[in-house]
Amino acid sequence: MSDEVVRIDRFSLVDITPATRDFIRVDPQKCTGCGACVVICPMDLWKMREGRACLAEDYRSKCMECGSCFIACEYAALDFSYPPAGEGISYRYA
Amino acid sequence: MAESYDLIVVGAGPGGSIAAKTAAESGMKVLLLERSRTPGEKNVSGFGLTSKAYRDFPWLKKMELPSMRVCRKCVGHFLSPPPELDERVCLYSGPSRRISYPEGREFFTVMMLRREFDEYLAGEAVSAGAELRTLSLVTGLVRESGRVAGVLLEGGDEFRAPVVIGADGALSAVARLAGIREKWRPDEVVSVCCIDYSASRERLDWVIDDAAFHGFFGPGIGGNYFMCMAEGVHLGGPGVGNSLVSRLNRRRIKPARELLDTIKAPSCRNLLKAVDAVPREWQAHLLPWLDRMPTNIFGPGVMLVGDAAGLPEPIWAEGVWQAMYSGRLAAEVALEAVDEKDASHASMRRYLERLEKSPVGRDFIGGTQMRNLFELLGDERFFGELTEMAVDLFVAMFMNGQEVHSEAMARFLPILAENLPVLMEVGRIYAPVLLEAYSGAVRDKLQLLKGLGAIFSGMAGTAQGGGKGGSQPGGEAS
Ligand SMILES: Cc1cc2nc3c(=O)[nH]c(=O)nc-3n(C[C@H](O)[C@H](O)[C@H](O)COP(=O)(O)OP(=O)(O)OC[C@H]3O[C@@H](n4cnc5c(N)ncnc54)[C@H](O)[C@@H]3O)c2cc1C
């Protein structure tokens, strides 16, 4: 019996209208490379590159707007606001 | 030209819609602003509406939504450490007979989709006369002589009102713009993910029926759960015991992985299979989880309610009833402020004072210890010992067909003695909770006596023909 209940492809299970402007900003000067954002992101949109946090280029069409990275960053290197009204994540079954 | 209102509410979640409804019913001109296309589109929850909400908002009893399933039983699965995740204890129970109000004795929660619930509540606010504007992202506040006096939308629209209620959730822009709080500390929030599954209604009725909440506890699992609606199941976690900080400290694998680990427990996976569950949506949301009632929740011309204020309770981080309750209180204070034409800091302070005395505020008594207890439940040593003690005691007393009954029963006291360290650890948490609750009650009684004393001395003063100061509760007259 196939394990349907445990096969989760996150990216195919979200409905996101890509945002038309940026809504997460990183200040590479302040980033210490602690990696908290990398651990916490539910979509794995952060990677470490040369000791600094680096956000996926296509995050505007993948971010769920939970803001976990913004709270997890204790060095004020990361700014987060919501995408424009009507854009971004849309939950049908939340 | 900016349009003017008596009250502007930012965010049409449960907190905002109840605030708007309450204010509009009192005849205020209310604007309710929501960034999404329809209320509820952005909001993730379990979601179980607790019986408290039905007690305090009786009109909810007429609400019928397609996704509803009443939860009359809760099931707690206590598992052995991974990789086995074997079920060691299972607690299956209905509400206690001792709950103080009838709805609470009848059911725990009603499960439903936030999409439907939030839309329903916003509809109630509109029916009461509030103006709802969706697709409206608040990005600025209007200030007037040091007070908040309105809001700005992205795109430039401006609306004015003597009072603004920030009901805009965990990442509140109003809190930030009003200078009340830049952001939560990582130990003040949990980041929760959910997998929503479609499921067969018929199977759910057979297999789950009204036992709509299943919690999975164990070392390395830490309070994940699933809850069942009419035709769907939400698997959520990491739940309690997992603030952002504890997550980061443990460097646990990704949230998605963590949730999937729960499904590895046979008790969880088999139930999902039995109801024909098929993954339908992946969700993530931030949730404040504080151990003390926050006090920086207002300013001149502004009040924060619900998640924006950090009001989810300290054990499960339940927050919808809290949002509704605080929303109503804030609207009442706003009404008084508008009537008295005084939205000053002192005037808004009434909101905090009333909230602290309300059941929402009192739910934070002993909060630090309760939060600790839940963190402890994720602790391998502690948790394992407690679970196995429960198994030992239960089996020794009742379920023992393996040994001579009297000999097994004689083991009862030695088992307790052996587990004294764990029991004392529980006591170490439990005692301060009691102490705090009790000392609060004593303080209240003393306050009452002082108040009565003041009244009596005031009356004595009046009887002597003093005339003045009789109604002053402060007691300066004496
Ligand atoms: C996974 C999960 C499970 C949960 N389970 C339960 C449960 O079973 N029972 C329970 O009682 N609680 C539960 N909670 C907690 C509950 O969801 C929250 O406490 C509750 O939603 C708070 O309500 P609110 O009205 O304060 O904020 P929210 O519901 O967050 O509503 C805020 C609203 O403001 C809007 N908004 C935000 N910013 C802006 C802006 N700048 N401009 C305009 N609009 C804006 C948002 O779109 C949103 O509609 C759960 C939470 C999570 C994350």
Side-chain angles (χ1 to χ4, degrees):
Chain A
M1 186 175 185
S2 79
D3 255 339
E4 185 76 35
V5 292
V6 298
R7 230 186 299 112
I8 302 296
D9 173 16
R10 284 170 287 170
F11 295 101
S12 69
L13 291 176
V14 290
D15 172 8
I16 297 175
T17 308
T20 51
R21 61 159 168 79
D22 278 315
F23 54 95
I24 301 179
R25 282 189 186 77
V26 201
D27 182 342
Q29 241 63 54
K30 289 187 184 160
C31 176
T32 63
C34 75
C37 50
V38 181
V39 177
I40 221 71
C41 177
M43 292 299 258
D44 296 331
L45 299 178
W46 293 91
K47 297 270 174 303
M48 293 303 282
R49 203 173 294 152
E50 290 160 15
R52 296 281 173 273
C54 192
L55 182 58
E57 296 215 337
D58 57 354
Y59 82 94
R60 287 199 214 164
S61 57
K62 289 188 171 161
C63 172
M64 303 173 84
E65 304 159 32
C66 72
S68 297
C69 54
F70 170 59
I71 305 290
C73 179
E74 297 200 76
Y75 303 95
L78 214 155
D79 197 22
F80 174 91
S81 56
Y82 285 126
E87 300 178 3
I89 190 90
S90 173
Y91 292 117
R92 218 163 308 157
Y93 304 105
Chain B
M1 182 57 206
E3 219 174 313
S4 287
Y5 294 83
D6 295 324
L7 174 69
I8 295 172
V9 181
V10 182
S17 287
I18 293 291
K21 173 179 159 68
T22 308
E25 277 170 351
S26 313
M28 292 173 95
K29 188 180 174 201
V30 183
L31 177 63
L32 176 59
L33 296 168
E34 167 58 47
R35 74 181 176 110
S36 61
R37 286 173 286 205
T38 48
E41 182 187 21
K42 301 275 189 182
N43 302 341
V44 178
S45 263
F47 155 59
L49 185 63
T50 47
S51 51
K52 296 192 287 262
Y54 290 85
R55 175 194 64 191
D56 296 338
F57 302 87
W59 50 267
L60 281 174
K61 286 174 188 153
K62 69 173 172 16
M63 173 175 70
E64 300 251 0
L65 304 174
S67 62
M68 280 180 166
R69 179 178 293 270
V70 183
C71 175
R72 291 198 178 83
K73 283 159 202 117
C74 282
V75 189
H77 304 264
F78 295 83
L79 311 175
S80 67
E84 285 79 19
L85 298 172
D86 186 25
E87 185 148 300
R88 294 296 291 156
V89 176
C90 179
L91 248 166
Y92 193 109
S93 105
S96 159
R97 303 171 299 174
R98 294 172 195 266
I99 303 290
S100 59
Y101 58 98
E103 297 87 350
R105 288 191 294 273
E106 202 186 305
F107 62 96
F108 288 105
T109 57
V110 180
M111 307 300 194
M112 62 190 97
L113 289 173
R114 283 293 296 275
R115 249 252 157 136
E116 294 173 3
F117 179 66
D118 287 19
E119 219 172 334
Y120 181 86
L121 286 194
E124 285 285 315
V126 170
S127 305
E131 180 184 334
L132 169 68
R133 265 186 70 140
T134 53
L135 291 170
S136 304
L137 181 71
V138 171
T139 52
L141 292 180
V142 180
R143 288 178 172 279
E144 215 166 62
S145 46
R147 283 197 305 106
V148 173
V151 302
L152 296 164
L153 301 191
E154 185 172 46
D157 285 349
E158 181 181 325
F159 302 98
R160 288 178 165 259
V163 182
V164 172
I165 292 180
D168 47 347
L171 291 163
S172 172
V174 174
R176 206 172 168 185
L177 294 163
I180 295 176
R181 177 187 61 244
E182 180 55 26
K183 62 174 184 173
W184 301 110
R185 290 195 319 264
D187 63 332
E188 292 175 324
V189 295
V190 281
S191 172
V192 196
C193 299
C194 285
I195 303 166
D196 172 80
Y197 294 88
S198 64
S200 142
R201 178 192 288 263
E202 196 183 24
R203 294 284 194 101
L204 280 166
D205 289 345
W206 291 341
V207 180
I208 298 290
D209 192 19
D210 57 0
F213 179 87
H214 287 246
F216 297 88
F217 308 95
I221 296 284
N224 291 351
Y225 63 88
F226 74 59
M227 41 92 28
C228 307
M229 292 158 291
E231 295 181 304
V233 177
H234 264 356
L235 182 74
V240 285
N242 276 289
S243 72
L244 274 197
V245 159
S246 60
R247 266 270 294 283
L248 290 169
N249 285 347
R250 282 186 286 129
R251 294 274 138 175
R252 282 274 305 173
I253 20 165
K254 306 290 180 199
R257 208 44 285 146
E258 210 160 334
L259 258 190
L260 296 181
D261 281 352
T262 310
I263 314 179
K264 284 192 195 138
S267 48
C268 179
R269 180 167 45 192
N270 293 343
L271 275 172
L272 286 173
K273 282 184 181 173
V275 298
D276 274 343
V278 178
R280 190 163 56 171
E281 196 165 73
W282 170 247
Q283 307 159 347
H285 209 275
L286 207 65
L287 175 56
W289 188 42
L290 277 66
D291 61 344
R292 291 282 144 195
M293 194 191 124
T295 50
N296 57 337
I297 57 173
F298 69 100
V302 62
M303 289 174 272
L304 304 175
V305 307
D307 279 13
L311 297 178
E313 46 84 22
I315 291 200
W316 293 99
E318 171 212 342
V320 170
W321 166 77
Q322 287 78 354
M324 295 168 71
Y325 200 102
S326 57
R328 182 162 70 186
L329 261 185
E332 286 164 5
V333 172
L335 181 66
E336 292 170 19
V338 169
D339 278 350
E340 296 162 9
K341 296 198 172 20
D342 175 16
S344 65
H345 195 271
S347 165
M348 299 290 100
R349 196 182 171 79
R350 285 181 274 191
Y351 167 57
L352 172 65
E353 287 164 1
R354 288 178 205 175
L355 196 62
E356 277 179 328
K357 291 201 187 92
S358 78
V360 173
R362 286 187 279 119
D363 223 3
F364 283 89
I365 293 174
T368 311
Q369 286 77 24
M370 290 192 233
R371 238 189 87 146
N372 285 347
L373 181 65
F374 264 69
E375 296 246 5
L376 214 58
L377 283 184
D379 180 278
E380 204 139 324
R381 184 196 61 85
F382 179 82
F383 186 88
E385 283 178 23
L386 211 59
T387 308
E388 292 308 323
M389 180 182 71
V391 175
D392 289 344
L393 292 176
F394 183 63
V395 170
M397 292 305 282
F398 301 110
M399 290 300 283
N400 196 331
Q402 297 127 301
E403 288 173 312
V404 174
H405 289 305
S406 58
E407 286 168 17
M409 284 190 181
R411 221 181 283 142
F412 191 85
L413 287 178
I415 290 171
L416 278 184
E418 200 179 293
N419 282 286
L420 217 56
V422 176
L423 292 173
M424 277 168 66
E425 190 119 358
V426 175
R428 201 174 52 78
I429 289 168
Y430 177 63
V433 174
L434 272 197
L435 217 66
E436 196 182 324
Y438 187 64
S439 69
V442 170
R443 216 178 319 114
D444 286 351
K445 293 245 162 58
L446 286 177
Q447 213 76 35
L448 189 75
L449 281 179
K450 252 169 84 185
L452 282 178
I455 291 171
F456 280 133
S457 60
M459 272 175 16
T462 325
Q464 282 160 21
K468 240 179 88 183
S471 63
Q472 288 274 332
E476 293 101 310
S478 58

